Structures are given as C-alpha cells and as structure tokens.
Amino acid sequence: MEPSWLLYLGIAAGPFVQEDAAVLAAATLSASKPQHFPTIFIVILIGLILSDVWKYWIGWAALKNPHARAFAEKKHVANLQDKVQRHLFFTLLGARFLPLARVPAYVACGYFNVSYVRYCLFIAFTATLYTIIIFTLCHYLGKAVGDKLEVIMPVAALTLIAIFGSLIWWRKRRAAEGKDPLED
C-alpha cells in the first residue's frame, strides 16, 4: 500500500481521537514500511503537537467564568498553580507519559495562566521525545519479530486500551457504590 495524502491526513488526525493509539499505529506502519519513516514520523508529530496545543485554551476560557475565577483564587489552587508554573517542564513531561493525565495537565496550564509560548515549546519537546521512544521501540521490535509486528502491535494496543478502559469502568463503578476505588 503506497501512502497517499488521505493516509497522511488520517495519521495527522489520529491524535485528536486517541494519542497513544495513533502514535503506536503510525510507528507500526513506519516499522513495516521503513521507506516511509521520515514522512510518517513528521506527520504524526505535527498531529500530536496540534492536538495538544489547543487544550490550553480550554483552561484559559474557564477563567472567564466567575465561579472558576473564584475557585482559582483559593489557597490550595493558588499553591498548585505556583507548583505547575515553577515545574512546568516536569509537569508536562510527566503528563506526556501518564495516560489520562495529559488533558487535565494541559487544561490546567491554561487555567493557571502559564506562558503559552513556554507551554507550546515544552509540548513540542515532550511530543518529540515520546514519538522518538515509541518509533524506536516499534522499529526494534519490528526487527526482532519481523512480519508478525503488524499483528502484535495492534493486539498490544487493544490490550492496553482494554486494561485502561476496565480500570476506568471499575473506578467509576466503585465510586457510584460510594466506595473508595483504591481500597481493597
């Protein structure tokens, strides 16, 4: 299958749906068709960065609401704001590698009035680092398992999605029952 502009558009749009699955799919495609590596890498990286930089504005827009603005002025929120601003790089680096932490961290950056330029630079850096790691793993796995990679990687991705989905469902169920989901 020769990549076309529709495929590249799909690769770029993938992170807007689910970042990890999109990067993993792009890396798997790149490992199975190494001649398309640079283009696929750049396209998924652009899609990943674009899918993250706009999330800042959700937090920024929330501050237009008087209740949200009042909440931001509370002492514990102000302390958190100070920590995020002082440790922005490590906050965004940690969020990049922790599933389900990205969107809250990115929205918080806008809510806490983090410099948008710094935010974008750190997002670009962490996205590049993350993409390099995933592509490297897929390419090395591709060499180790050969043609089976096209079967193994989607199964691994679906397994991870099922595990995280089950954890979310279980925690919501425990919370609905009024129990602490971290007990037991």
Side-chain angles (χ1 to χ4, degrees), residues 1-33 35-52 130-131 134-135 139:
M1 172 178 81
E2 201 60 35
S4 68
W5 69 273
L6 282 174
L7 177 63
Y8 291 134
L9 183 62
I11 291 170
F16 286 90
V17 177
Q18 212 297 324
E19 288 185 6
D20 297 318
V23 174
L24 194 57
T28 302
L29 177 62
S30 174
S32 66
K33 307 283 187 197
Q35 67 272 23
H36 301 294
F37 160 71
T39 307
I40 292 173
F41 181 86
I42 291 168
V43 169
I44 192 67
L45 183 59
I46 289 169
L48 188 60
I49 292 169
L50 291 177
S51 77
D52 291 341
Y130 177 74
T131 306
I134 298 298
F135 269 67
H139 279 260

Short mmCIF file of all heavy atoms in Angstrom, two decimals, residues 1-33 35-52 130-131 134-135 139:
data_model
loop_
_atom_site.label_atom_id
_atom_site.label_comp_id
_atom_site.label_asym_id
_atom_site.label_seq_id
_atom_site.Cartn_x
_atom_site.Cartn_y
_atom_site.Cartn_z
N MET A 1 0.85 -1.18 0.00
CA MET A 1 0.00 0.00 0.00
C MET A 1 0.89 1.23 0.00
O MET A 1 1.68 1.44 0.90
CB MET A 1 -0.89 -0.02 1.24
CG MET A 1 -1.67 1.26 1.41
SD MET A 1 -2.75 1.24 2.83
CE MET A 1 -1.60 1.62 4.12
N GLU A 2 0.77 2.03 -0.98
CA GLU A 2 1.54 3.26 -1.11
C GLU A 2 0.83 4.39 -0.36
O GLU A 2 -0.34 4.65 -0.61
CB GLU A 2 1.66 3.61 -2.59
CG GLU A 2 2.80 4.52 -2.96
CD GLU A 2 4.17 3.96 -2.59
OE1 GLU A 2 4.37 2.74 -2.67
OE2 GLU A 2 5.03 4.76 -2.23
N PRO A 3 1.51 5.05 0.62
CA PRO A 3 0.84 6.13 1.36
C PRO A 3 0.39 7.25 0.43
O PRO A 3 1.07 7.61 -0.51
CB PRO A 3 1.92 6.63 2.31
CG PRO A 3 2.84 5.48 2.47
CD PRO A 3 2.82 4.77 1.14
N SER A 4 -0.78 7.76 0.70
CA SER A 4 -1.32 8.86 -0.08
C SER A 4 -1.62 10.00 0.87
O SER A 4 -1.48 9.87 2.09
CB SER A 4 -2.60 8.42 -0.80
OG SER A 4 -3.63 8.20 0.15
N TRP A 5 -2.08 11.11 0.33
CA TRP A 5 -2.38 12.26 1.18
C TRP A 5 -3.52 11.94 2.15
O TRP A 5 -3.55 12.47 3.26
CB TRP A 5 -2.68 13.49 0.33
CG TRP A 5 -3.97 13.42 -0.44
CD1 TRP A 5 -4.18 12.89 -1.66
CD2 TRP A 5 -5.24 13.88 0.03
NE1 TRP A 5 -5.50 12.99 -2.00
CE2 TRP A 5 -6.18 13.61 -0.98
CE3 TRP A 5 -5.68 14.52 1.19
CZ2 TRP A 5 -7.52 13.93 -0.86
CZ3 TRP A 5 -7.01 14.84 1.30
CH2 TRP A 5 -7.92 14.54 0.27
N LEU A 6 -4.44 11.05 1.78
CA LEU A 6 -5.53 10.67 2.69
C LEU A 6 -4.98 9.89 3.89
O LEU A 6 -5.44 10.09 5.02
CB LEU A 6 -6.58 9.83 1.96
CG LEU A 6 -7.56 10.59 1.08
CD1 LEU A 6 -8.45 9.62 0.32
CD2 LEU A 6 -8.41 11.54 1.91
N LEU A 7 -4.02 9.01 3.63
CA LEU A 7 -3.41 8.27 4.72
C LEU A 7 -2.68 9.23 5.66
O LEU A 7 -2.82 9.13 6.88
CB LEU A 7 -2.44 7.22 4.18
CG LEU A 7 -1.67 6.43 5.24
CD1 LEU A 7 -2.63 5.62 6.10
CD2 LEU A 7 -0.65 5.53 4.58
N TYR A 8 -1.93 10.15 5.09
CA TYR A 8 -1.20 11.12 5.91
C TYR A 8 -2.17 12.02 6.69
O TYR A 8 -1.92 12.36 7.84
CB TYR A 8 -0.25 11.96 5.06
CG TYR A 8 0.91 11.16 4.53
CD1 TYR A 8 1.31 11.27 3.20
CD2 TYR A 8 1.62 10.29 5.34
CE1 TYR A 8 2.38 10.53 2.71
CE2 TYR A 8 2.68 9.55 4.86
CZ TYR A 8 3.06 9.68 3.55
OH TYR A 8 4.11 8.95 3.08
N LEU A 9 -3.26 12.38 6.09
CA LEU A 9 -4.28 13.17 6.79
C LEU A 9 -4.85 12.37 7.97
O LEU A 9 -5.03 12.90 9.06
CB LEU A 9 -5.39 13.58 5.82
CG LEU A 9 -6.49 14.47 6.40
CD1 LEU A 9 -5.92 15.80 6.88
CD2 LEU A 9 -7.57 14.72 5.35
N GLY A 10 -5.10 11.09 7.74
CA GLY A 10 -5.58 10.22 8.81
C GLY A 10 -4.57 10.08 9.93
O GLY A 10 -4.93 10.08 11.11
N ILE A 11 -3.30 9.96 9.57
CA ILE A 11 -2.24 9.87 10.58
C ILE A 11 -2.18 11.15 11.39
O ILE A 11 -2.09 11.12 12.62
CB ILE A 11 -0.88 9.57 9.91
CG1 ILE A 11 -0.87 8.14 9.35
CG2 ILE A 11 0.27 9.77 10.89
CD1 ILE A 11 0.33 7.82 8.49
N ALA A 12 -2.26 12.30 10.73
CA ALA A 12 -2.21 13.59 11.44
C ALA A 12 -3.43 13.80 12.32
O ALA A 12 -3.34 14.40 13.39
CB ALA A 12 -2.08 14.73 10.43
N ALA A 13 -4.59 13.30 11.90
CA ALA A 13 -5.83 13.48 12.67
C ALA A 13 -5.93 12.48 13.82
O ALA A 13 -6.68 12.72 14.77
CB ALA A 13 -7.03 13.35 11.75
N GLY A 14 -5.21 11.39 13.75
CA GLY A 14 -5.29 10.34 14.77
C GLY A 14 -5.14 10.82 16.20
O GLY A 14 -5.93 10.43 17.07
N PRO A 15 -4.15 11.67 16.51
CA PRO A 15 -4.00 12.12 17.90
C PRO A 15 -5.20 12.92 18.43
O PRO A 15 -5.38 13.01 19.65
CB PRO A 15 -2.75 13.00 17.84
CG PRO A 15 -1.98 12.48 16.69
CD PRO A 15 -3.02 12.06 15.69
N PHE A 16 -6.00 13.47 17.56
CA PHE A 16 -7.18 14.20 18.03
C PHE A 16 -8.23 13.23 18.57
O PHE A 16 -9.11 13.61 19.33
CB PHE A 16 -7.79 15.04 16.91
CG PHE A 16 -6.99 16.27 16.59
CD1 PHE A 16 -5.97 16.22 15.64
CD2 PHE A 16 -7.24 17.47 17.24
CE1 PHE A 16 -5.22 17.35 15.34
CE2 PHE A 16 -6.49 18.60 16.95
CZ PHE A 16 -5.48 18.54 16.01
N VAL A 17 -8.13 11.95 18.16
CA VAL A 17 -9.06 10.92 18.62
C VAL A 17 -8.48 10.20 19.84
O VAL A 17 -9.09 10.16 20.90
CB VAL A 17 -9.38 9.91 17.50
CG1 VAL A 17 -10.30 8.81 18.00
CG2 VAL A 17 -9.97 10.63 16.29
N GLN A 18 -7.28 9.64 19.70
CA GLN A 18 -6.60 8.96 20.79
C GLN A 18 -5.10 8.98 20.50
O GLN A 18 -4.63 8.33 19.57
CB GLN A 18 -7.11 7.53 20.92
CG GLN A 18 -7.12 6.95 22.33
CD GLN A 18 -5.76 6.80 22.97
OE1 GLN A 18 -4.76 6.50 22.33
NE2 GLN A 18 -5.71 7.03 24.28
N GLU A 19 -4.37 9.74 21.30
CA GLU A 19 -2.95 9.98 21.03
C GLU A 19 -2.10 8.71 21.02
O GLU A 19 -1.35 8.48 20.07
CB GLU A 19 -2.37 10.94 22.07
CG GLU A 19 -2.82 12.35 21.92
CD GLU A 19 -2.13 13.28 22.89
OE1 GLU A 19 -1.21 12.86 23.62
OE2 GLU A 19 -2.52 14.46 22.91
N ASP A 20 -2.19 7.93 22.08
CA ASP A 20 -1.31 6.76 22.19
C ASP A 20 -1.54 5.77 21.05
O ASP A 20 -0.59 5.29 20.45
CB ASP A 20 -1.53 6.07 23.54
CG ASP A 20 -1.14 6.97 24.70
OD1 ASP A 20 -0.10 7.65 24.59
OD2 ASP A 20 -1.88 7.00 25.70
N ALA A 21 -2.80 5.50 20.77
CA ALA A 21 -3.11 4.55 19.69
C ALA A 21 -2.64 5.10 18.34
O ALA A 21 -2.13 4.34 17.51
CB ALA A 21 -4.61 4.27 19.65
N ALA A 22 -2.79 6.40 18.12
CA ALA A 22 -2.37 7.00 16.85
C ALA A 22 -0.86 6.92 16.67
O ALA A 22 -0.37 6.57 15.59
CB ALA A 22 -2.84 8.45 16.77
N VAL A 23 -0.11 7.25 17.72
CA VAL A 23 1.35 7.20 17.62
C VAL A 23 1.81 5.75 17.44
O VAL A 23 2.69 5.47 16.62
CB VAL A 23 2.01 7.85 18.85
CG1 VAL A 23 3.53 7.67 18.83
CG2 VAL A 23 1.67 9.34 18.91
N LEU A 24 1.20 4.85 18.18
CA LEU A 24 1.55 3.43 18.05
C LEU A 24 1.23 2.90 16.66
O LEU A 24 2.04 2.18 16.06
CB LEU A 24 0.81 2.62 19.12
CG LEU A 24 1.28 1.22 19.37
CD1 LEU A 24 2.75 1.17 19.75
CD2 LEU A 24 0.44 0.58 20.46
N ALA A 25 0.09 3.29 16.12
CA ALA A 25 -0.28 2.85 14.76
C ALA A 25 0.69 3.42 13.73
O ALA A 25 1.12 2.71 12.81
CB ALA A 25 -1.71 3.27 14.44
N ALA A 26 1.03 4.70 13.87
CA ALA A 26 1.98 5.32 12.93
C ALA A 26 3.35 4.67 13.03
O ALA A 26 4.00 4.41 12.01
CB ALA A 26 2.07 6.82 13.20
N ALA A 27 3.78 4.39 14.24
CA ALA A 27 5.09 3.75 14.43
C ALA A 27 5.09 2.34 13.86
O ALA A 27 6.08 1.91 13.25
CB ALA A 27 5.45 3.73 15.91
N THR A 28 3.99 1.62 14.03
CA THR A 28 3.88 0.27 13.47
C THR A 28 3.91 0.31 11.95
O THR A 28 4.59 -0.48 11.31
CB THR A 28 2.57 -0.40 13.96
OG1 THR A 28 2.57 -0.42 15.38
CG2 THR A 28 2.45 -1.81 13.43
N LEU A 29 3.17 1.26 11.36
CA LEU A 29 3.19 1.43 9.91
C LEU A 29 4.59 1.77 9.43
O LEU A 29 5.08 1.23 8.44
CB LEU A 29 2.19 2.51 9.49
CG LEU A 29 2.14 2.84 8.01
CD1 LEU A 29 1.70 1.62 7.19
CD2 LEU A 29 1.18 4.01 7.76
N SER A 30 5.25 2.66 10.15
CA SER A 30 6.60 3.05 9.79
C SER A 30 7.58 1.89 9.88
O SER A 30 8.46 1.74 9.03
CB SER A 30 7.06 4.19 10.70
OG SER A 30 8.40 4.50 10.49
N ALA A 31 7.41 1.05 10.91
CA ALA A 31 8.30 -0.11 11.06
C ALA A 31 8.06 -1.14 9.96
O ALA A 31 9.00 -1.78 9.50
CB ALA A 31 8.09 -0.74 12.43
N SER A 32 6.80 -1.27 9.53
CA SER A 32 6.51 -2.24 8.48
C SER A 32 6.85 -1.70 7.08
O SER A 32 7.06 -2.48 6.16
CB SER A 32 5.05 -2.69 8.54
OG SER A 32 4.19 -1.63 8.25
N LYS A 33 6.87 -0.40 6.93
CA LYS A 33 7.23 0.25 5.66
C LYS A 33 8.31 1.30 5.94
O LYS A 33 8.05 2.51 5.90
CB LYS A 33 6.01 0.95 5.04
CG LYS A 33 4.79 0.08 4.88
CD LYS A 33 4.94 -0.84 3.70
CE LYS A 33 3.62 -1.57 3.49
NZ LYS A 33 3.76 -2.72 2.66
N GLN A 35 10.65 2.66 4.41
CA GLN A 35 10.96 3.67 3.40
C GLN A 35 10.12 4.94 3.60
O GLN A 35 10.46 6.00 3.11
CB GLN A 35 10.80 3.12 1.97
CG GLN A 35 9.38 2.78 1.57
CD GLN A 35 8.93 1.37 1.93
OE1 GLN A 35 9.48 0.74 2.84
NE2 GLN A 35 7.93 0.88 1.23
N HIS A 36 9.01 4.82 4.34
CA HIS A 36 8.14 5.98 4.59
C HIS A 36 8.37 6.59 5.97
O HIS A 36 7.62 7.45 6.40
CB HIS A 36 6.67 5.58 4.45
CG HIS A 36 6.34 5.05 3.11
ND1 HIS A 36 6.39 5.83 1.97
CD2 HIS A 36 5.98 3.80 2.70
CE1 HIS A 36 6.06 5.09 0.93
NE2 HIS A 36 5.82 3.86 1.34
N PHE A 37 9.43 6.13 6.67
CA PHE A 37 9.68 6.56 8.04
C PHE A 37 9.70 8.06 8.23
O PHE A 37 8.94 8.58 9.04
CB PHE A 37 10.98 5.94 8.58
CG PHE A 37 11.52 6.70 9.76
CD1 PHE A 37 10.88 6.64 10.98
CD2 PHE A 37 12.63 7.51 9.64
CE1 PHE A 37 11.35 7.35 12.07
CE2 PHE A 37 13.12 8.23 10.71
CZ PHE A 37 12.47 8.15 11.94
N PRO A 38 10.52 8.81 7.53
CA PRO A 38 10.60 10.24 7.89
C PRO A 38 9.26 10.96 7.73
O PRO A 38 8.88 11.76 8.58
CB PRO A 38 11.65 10.82 6.94
CG PRO A 38 12.25 9.69 6.21
CD PRO A 38 11.41 8.48 6.43
N THR A 39 8.55 10.66 6.68
CA THR A 39 7.29 11.35 6.43
C THR A 39 6.25 10.99 7.48
O THR A 39 5.59 11.87 8.04
CB THR A 39 6.75 11.01 5.02
OG1 THR A 39 7.77 11.27 4.06
CG2 THR A 39 5.52 11.82 4.71
N ILE A 40 6.12 9.71 7.80
CA ILE A 40 5.15 9.28 8.81
C ILE A 40 5.50 9.88 10.16
O ILE A 40 4.62 10.35 10.90
CB ILE A 40 5.06 7.74 8.87
CG1 ILE A 40 4.44 7.21 7.58
CG2 ILE A 40 4.28 7.28 10.09
CD1 ILE A 40 4.47 5.69 7.45
N PHE A 41 6.78 9.88 10.52
CA PHE A 41 7.23 10.44 11.79
C PHE A 41 6.85 11.92 11.89
O PHE A 41 6.28 12.36 12.90
CB PHE A 41 8.74 10.27 11.95
CG PHE A 41 9.26 10.81 13.25
CD1 PHE A 41 9.26 10.02 14.38
CD2 PHE A 41 9.76 12.10 13.34
CE1 PHE A 41 9.73 10.50 15.59
CE2 PHE A 41 10.24 12.61 14.53
CZ PHE A 41 10.23 11.80 15.66
N ILE A 42 7.15 12.68 10.87
CA ILE A 42 6.87 14.12 10.88
C ILE A 42 5.36 14.38 10.92
O ILE A 42 4.89 15.24 11.67
CB ILE A 42 7.55 14.81 9.68
CG1 ILE A 42 9.07 14.80 9.86
CG2 ILE A 42 7.03 16.23 9.50
CD1 ILE A 42 9.86 15.18 8.64
N VAL A 43 4.60 13.64 10.15
CA VAL A 43 3.14 13.85 10.10
C VAL A 43 2.50 13.54 11.45
O VAL A 43 1.68 14.31 11.94
CB VAL A 43 2.51 13.01 8.97
CG1 VAL A 43 1.00 12.99 9.07
CG2 VAL A 43 2.94 13.55 7.61
N ILE A 44 2.87 12.42 12.08
CA ILE A 44 2.27 12.09 13.39
C ILE A 44 2.73 13.09 14.44
O ILE A 44 1.95 13.48 15.32
CB ILE A 44 2.56 10.64 13.83
CG1 ILE A 44 1.67 10.24 15.03
CG2 ILE A 44 4.01 10.42 14.19
CD1 ILE A 44 0.22 10.16 14.75
N LEU A 45 3.96 13.54 14.37
CA LEU A 45 4.46 14.53 15.33
C LEU A 45 3.69 15.84 15.21
O LEU A 45 3.28 16.43 16.22
CB LEU A 45 5.96 14.76 15.14
CG LEU A 45 6.61 15.70 16.14
CD1 LEU A 45 6.43 15.20 17.57
CD2 LEU A 45 8.09 15.85 15.81
N ILE A 46 3.46 16.29 13.99
CA ILE A 46 2.68 17.52 13.79
C ILE A 46 1.26 17.34 14.33
O ILE A 46 0.74 18.21 15.04
CB ILE A 46 2.67 17.92 12.30
CG1 ILE A 46 4.05 18.43 11.88
CG2 ILE A 46 1.60 18.98 12.02
CD1 ILE A 46 4.24 18.59 10.39
N GLY A 47 0.64 16.21 14.02
CA GLY A 47 -0.70 15.93 14.53
C GLY A 47 -0.74 15.89 16.05
O GLY A 47 -1.66 16.41 16.68
N LEU A 48 0.28 15.29 16.65
CA LEU A 48 0.36 15.18 18.11
C LEU A 48 0.49 16.56 18.75
O LEU A 48 -0.23 16.88 19.71
CB LEU A 48 1.54 14.29 18.48
CG LEU A 48 1.70 13.89 19.93
CD1 LEU A 48 0.49 13.13 20.43
CD2 LEU A 48 2.96 13.03 20.09
N ILE A 49 1.36 17.38 18.22
CA ILE A 49 1.55 18.72 18.77
C ILE A 49 0.28 19.55 18.61
O ILE A 49 -0.18 20.19 19.55
CB ILE A 49 2.77 19.41 18.12
CG1 ILE A 49 4.06 18.70 18.55
CG2 ILE A 49 2.81 20.90 18.48
CD1 ILE A 49 5.29 19.11 17.77
N LEU A 50 -0.31 19.52 17.42
CA LEU A 50 -1.53 20.30 17.19
C LEU A 50 -2.69 19.83 18.06
O LEU A 50 -3.51 20.63 18.50
CB LEU A 50 -1.93 20.26 15.71
CG LEU A 50 -1.00 20.99 14.75
CD1 LEU A 50 -1.47 20.80 13.31
CD2 LEU A 50 -0.91 22.47 15.10
N SER A 51 -2.75 18.52 18.33
CA SER A 51 -3.85 18.01 19.16
C SER A 51 -3.68 18.40 20.62
O SER A 51 -4.63 18.33 21.38
CB SER A 51 -3.95 16.49 19.04
OG SER A 51 -2.95 15.84 19.80
N ASP A 52 -2.48 18.83 21.01
CA ASP A 52 -2.24 19.22 22.40
C ASP A 52 -2.24 20.72 22.65
O ASP A 52 -2.69 21.17 23.71
CB ASP A 52 -0.90 18.64 22.88
CG ASP A 52 -0.94 17.14 23.03
OD1 ASP A 52 -2.04 16.58 23.13
OD2 ASP A 52 0.15 16.52 23.06
N TYR A 130 8.50 11.60 23.15
CA TYR A 130 7.55 10.48 23.20
C TYR A 130 7.50 9.74 21.86
O TYR A 130 7.56 8.51 21.81
CB TYR A 130 6.17 11.02 23.57
CG TYR A 130 5.07 9.99 23.59
CD1 TYR A 130 4.98 9.06 24.62
CD2 TYR A 130 4.11 9.96 22.59
CE1 TYR A 130 3.96 8.12 24.65
CE2 TYR A 130 3.09 9.03 22.62
CZ TYR A 130 3.02 8.11 23.65
OH TYR A 130 2.01 7.19 23.67
N THR A 131 7.42 10.49 20.77
CA THR A 131 7.34 9.89 19.44
C THR A 131 8.62 9.14 19.10
O THR A 131 8.57 8.04 18.55
CB THR A 131 7.03 10.97 18.38
OG1 THR A 131 5.85 11.67 18.80
CG2 THR A 131 6.79 10.37 17.02
N ILE A 134 8.54 5.80 21.07
CA ILE A 134 7.60 4.82 20.51
C ILE A 134 8.10 4.28 19.16
O ILE A 134 8.05 3.08 18.91
CB ILE A 134 6.18 5.43 20.38
CG1 ILE A 134 5.63 5.82 21.75
CG2 ILE A 134 5.24 4.46 19.66
CD1 ILE A 134 5.46 4.69 22.73
N PHE A 135 8.58 5.18 18.30
CA PHE A 135 9.08 4.74 16.99
C PHE A 135 10.30 3.84 17.15
O PHE A 135 10.43 2.83 16.45
CB PHE A 135 9.41 5.95 16.11
CG PHE A 135 8.27 6.41 15.26
CD1 PHE A 135 7.13 6.96 15.83
CD2 PHE A 135 8.32 6.30 13.88
CE1 PHE A 135 6.08 7.40 15.05
CE2 PHE A 135 7.26 6.73 13.08
CZ PHE A 135 6.14 7.27 13.67
N HIS A 139 10.39 0.04 15.83
CA HIS A 139 11.37 -0.35 14.81
C HIS A 139 12.25 -1.49 15.31
O HIS A 139 12.53 -2.42 14.55
CB HIS A 139 12.19 0.86 14.36
CG HIS A 139 11.48 1.70 13.35
ND1 HIS A 139 11.74 1.63 12.00
CD2 HIS A 139 10.49 2.62 13.49
CE1 HIS A 139 10.95 2.48 11.35
NE2 HIS A 139 10.17 3.09 12.24
#
